[in-house]
């Protein structure tokens, strides 16, 4: 009976993902069409104009509630790992005052409403999904193909048990979007919020500098070169970066440094690096097809930076396990990059192969992770 319930919960997740996809697709194009007759070369053409729309706030709230409820429904009982830590601290009001201030304030606020840990998990999942959909709504190049890839990936599942970093990633996504909009003051505000939910968001500082300078040919070359050499000299690079962060942000620097410690190969680390397969494909395609699409997709090189960053995070996780956590900061924009590019692929065979490889590998990786979580641990 337990196995049937686990299978149902896994299927339910993908049903929710497809529901979101069709809602976004419906809102992306209105059902009313404007027809116009155009005479070209003495021939009469009937043209259908599709009007781009944005998802409504009501649907954003509805989807956020659905994900919040799913987050509670798939909880392992008793709680284990990260959720056990959050449940004990929340239910007994035993707060770790070394926690980031914003997360500590949020948990105190939620406790005053309901002391049940499930309310914490529901609220945080709701908030993360809500922020990501606001990001989708604010982003000019958002597309439902990219969001389908994002939802099929581990992005939302990751948020079910890594609450602090999930919120940091959500606000970090807003930072990157406003950075692309060149609204730097608003971007910095979201960056500070992100850092105050989880110290891993400090990685957005060097990424932001690279994105701002990507328009310069020399900086762009140096950026690509840096990404190429990092895997071969990661230990020295990580130590230097950690030292710099500790000087600038002493309260977060020591925690940040722990992410770059314990460099060693293991079977679990190698398995973590395999999860980056869809992004390896996106990065390889983006680099090899750059000349063809760089003038068609706005901010192409900035997307490539993020795609390379996500890929490197997974590659480096083969000998530094926690490195994969940084990858989630780039998920949203890389998925939107994927969706933007496939619209311009004219070769049907190439498009089919590319789309199948990316969606297919993403689905398999996520399905394997869900099976592992439910059948080994009983949930999240």
């Amino acid at each position: 009976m337990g196995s049937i319930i686990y299978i149902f919960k896994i299927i339910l997740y993908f049903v929710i993902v497809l529901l979101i996809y069709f809602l976004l697709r419906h809102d992306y194009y209105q059902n009313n069409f404007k027809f116009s007759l155009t005479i070209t070369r003495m021939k009469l053409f009937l043209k259908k104009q599709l009007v781009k729309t944005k998802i409504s706030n009501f649907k954003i709230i509805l989807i956020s509630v659905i994900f919040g409820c799913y987050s509670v429904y798939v909880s392992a009982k008793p709680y284990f790992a990260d959720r056990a830590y959050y449940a004990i601290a929340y239910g007994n009001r035993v707060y770790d005052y070394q926690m980031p201030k914003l997360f500590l304030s949020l948990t105190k606020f939620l406790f005053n409403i309901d002391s049940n840990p499930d309310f914490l998990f529901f609220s945080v999942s709701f908030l993360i999904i809500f922020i990501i959909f606001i990001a989708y709504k604010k982003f000019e190049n958002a597309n439902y193909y990219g969001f389908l890839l994002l939802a099929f990936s581990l992005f939302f599942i990751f948020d079910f048990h890594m609450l602090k970093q999930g919120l940091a990633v959500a606000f970090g996504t807003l930072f990157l979007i406003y950075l692309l909009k060149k609204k730097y003051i608003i971007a910095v505000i979201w960056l500070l919020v992100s850092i105050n939910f989880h110290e891993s968001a400090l990685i957005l500082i060097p990424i932001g500098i690279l994105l701002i300078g990507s328009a310069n040919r020399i900086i762009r070359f140096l950026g690509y070169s840096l990404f190429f050499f990092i895997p071969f000299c990661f230990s020295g690079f990580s130590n230097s970066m950690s030292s710099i962060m500790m000087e600038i942000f002493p309260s977060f620097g020591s925690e940040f440094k722990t992410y770059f410690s314990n460099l060693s190969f293991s079977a679990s680390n190698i398995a973590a690096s395999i999860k980056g397969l869809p992004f390896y494909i996106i990065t390889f395609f983006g680099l090899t097809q750059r000349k063809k699409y760089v003038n068609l997709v706005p901010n192409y090189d900035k997307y490539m930076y993020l795609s390379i960053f996500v890929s490197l995070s997974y590659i480096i996780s083969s000998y530094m396990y926690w490195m994969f956590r940084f990858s989630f900061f780039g998920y949203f924009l890389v998925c939107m990059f994927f969706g933007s590019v496939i619209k311009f692929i004219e070769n049907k065979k190439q498009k089919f192969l590319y789309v199948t490889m990316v969606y297919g590998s993403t689905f398999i990786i996520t399905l394997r992770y869900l099976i592992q979580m439910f059948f080994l641990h009983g949930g999240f």
Side-chain angles (χ1 to χ4, degrees):
M1 186 65 181
S3 297
I4 296 175
I5 294 174
Y6 294 154
I7 293 172
F8 172 75
K9 289 180 178 180
I10 292 171
I11 294 174
L12 180 60
Y13 178 79
F14 291 110
V15 169
I16 294 172
V17 168
L18 291 176
L19 173 64
I20 294 172
Y21 168 75
F22 287 116
L23 283 174
L24 293 177
R25 185 174 180 176
H26 177 267
D27 278 9
Y28 196 83
Y29 294 115
Q30 290 181 339
N31 289 325
N32 53 347
F33 302 105
K34 179 181 178 182
F35 293 90
S36 61
L37 294 175
T38 306
I39 299 178
T40 306
R41 295 181 182 178
M42 303 304 294
K43 291 182 180 181
L44 196 64
F45 290 92
L46 188 65
K47 301 180 71 177
K48 180 172 70 174
Q49 179 179 339
L50 299 178
V51 183
K52 182 177 178 180
T53 61
K54 294 181 178 180
I55 187 170
S56 66
N57 291 330
F58 172 75
K59 289 180 180 178
I60 291 177
I61 294 174
L62 176 62
I63 294 171
S64 300
V65 169
I66 291 173
F67 262 106
C69 292
Y70 183 81
S71 173
V72 174
Y73 179 57
V74 298
S75 289
K77 298 294 176 65
Y79 301 113
F80 83 104
D82 286 354
R83 280 205 168 192
Y85 164 72
Y86 287 120
I88 293 171
Y90 183 79
N92 296 295
R93 303 198 75 171
V94 180
Y95 297 113
D96 181 356
Y97 286 93
Q98 292 182 346
M99 278 186 176
K101 293 180 180 179
L102 287 181
F103 186 79
L104 185 60
S105 299
L106 176 63
T107 55
K108 288 181 177 180
F109 172 77
L110 294 175
F111 186 90
N112 290 329
I113 299 175
D114 191 333
S115 60
N116 190 327
D118 283 342
F119 182 68
L120 171 68
F121 300 135
F122 168 84
S123 300
V124 172
S125 294
F126 173 91
L127 185 57
I128 292 170
I129 303 300
F130 182 82
I131 295 168
I132 291 300
F133 269 98
I134 293 299
Y136 179 87
K137 191 170 183 177
K138 295 290 183 181
F139 190 48
E140 291 84 355
N141 295 324
N143 55 83
Y144 54 82
Y145 294 115
F147 204 94
L148 178 63
L149 178 62
L150 184 73
F152 260 143
S153 74
L154 297 173
F155 185 80
F156 294 132
I157 296 171
F158 163 85
D159 299 329
F160 291 157
H161 54 90
M162 298 182 183
L163 309 189
K164 291 184 295 181
Q165 191 172 355
L167 288 165
V169 167
F171 287 110
T173 299
L174 287 175
F175 160 72
L176 291 173
I177 286 175
Y178 279 96
L179 201 67
L180 294 184
K181 289 172 173 284
K182 296 183 179 180
K183 296 182 178 181
Y184 299 122
I185 296 178
I186 299 177
V188 169
I189 292 173
W190 290 129
L191 173 62
L192 293 175
V193 173
S194 180
I195 292 172
N196 277 281
F197 270 111
H198 200 274
E199 59 278 349
S200 62
L202 290 169
I203 198 69
L204 291 171
I205 296 175
I207 291 175
I209 293 172
L210 283 176
L211 293 181
I212 292 172
S214 65
N216 184 287
R217 200 169 189 175
I218 297 176
I219 296 177
R220 187 164 63 243
F221 172 77
L222 291 174
Y224 280 121
S225 301
L226 177 65
F227 280 131
F228 177 79
F229 285 109
I230 281 177
F232 303 102
C233 54
F234 182 72
S235 180
F237 172 80
S238 62
N239 289 333
S240 299
M241 188 173 178
S242 297
S243 298
I244 293 172
M245 290 300 180
M246 288 183 71
E247 289 293 329
I248 301 175
F249 301 98
S251 60
F252 294 112
S254 58
E255 292 292 327
F256 186 78
K257 190 174 183 178
T258 61
Y259 285 94
F260 296 117
S261 61
N262 301 321
L263 303 181
S264 63
F265 286 98
S266 69
S268 60
N269 287 12
I270 294 173
S273 66
I274 295 174
K275 294 176 184 177
L277 180 59
F279 298 98
Y280 305 154
I281 298 171
I282 293 172
T283 300
F284 177 79
F285 186 89
L287 289 173
T288 57
Q289 303 296 316
R290 181 182 179 277
K291 288 185 178 179
K292 187 180 294 186
Y293 301 112
V294 68
N295 295 320
L296 296 175
V297 179
N299 298 310
Y300 191 93
D301 284 303
K302 294 179 181 179
Y303 288 132
M304 280 309 310
Y305 274 163
L306 289 170
S307 186
I308 294 171
F309 164 72
V310 173
S311 298
L312 284 179
S313 296
Y314 275 109
I315 291 173
I316 296 172
S317 69
S318 64
Y319 54 88
M320 211 300 293
Y321 178 75
W322 295 113
M323 189 65 193
F324 84 94
R325 287 195 176 196
F326 291 106
S327 68
F328 289 98
F329 286 101
Y331 261 59
F332 181 90
L333 288 179
V334 175
C335 289
M336 296 307 152
F337 172 57
F338 165 79
S340 298
V341 170
I342 62 175
K343 293 187 294 185
F344 296 105
I345 302 177
E346 296 179 352
N347 187 314
K348 291 184 179 180
K349 290 183 178 179
Q350 184 189 50
K351 183 175 182 177
F352 175 79
L353 180 62
Y354 180 50
V355 170
T356 302
M357 289 177 65
V358 173
Y359 278 130
S361 59
T362 302
F363 174 76
I364 292 172
I365 289 167
T366 300
L367 178 61
R368 177 186 176 277
Y369 184 77
L370 287 173
I371 291 173
Q372 180 182 12
M373 292 302 295
F374 284 114
F375 284 87
L376 292 182
H377 305 294
F380 291 88

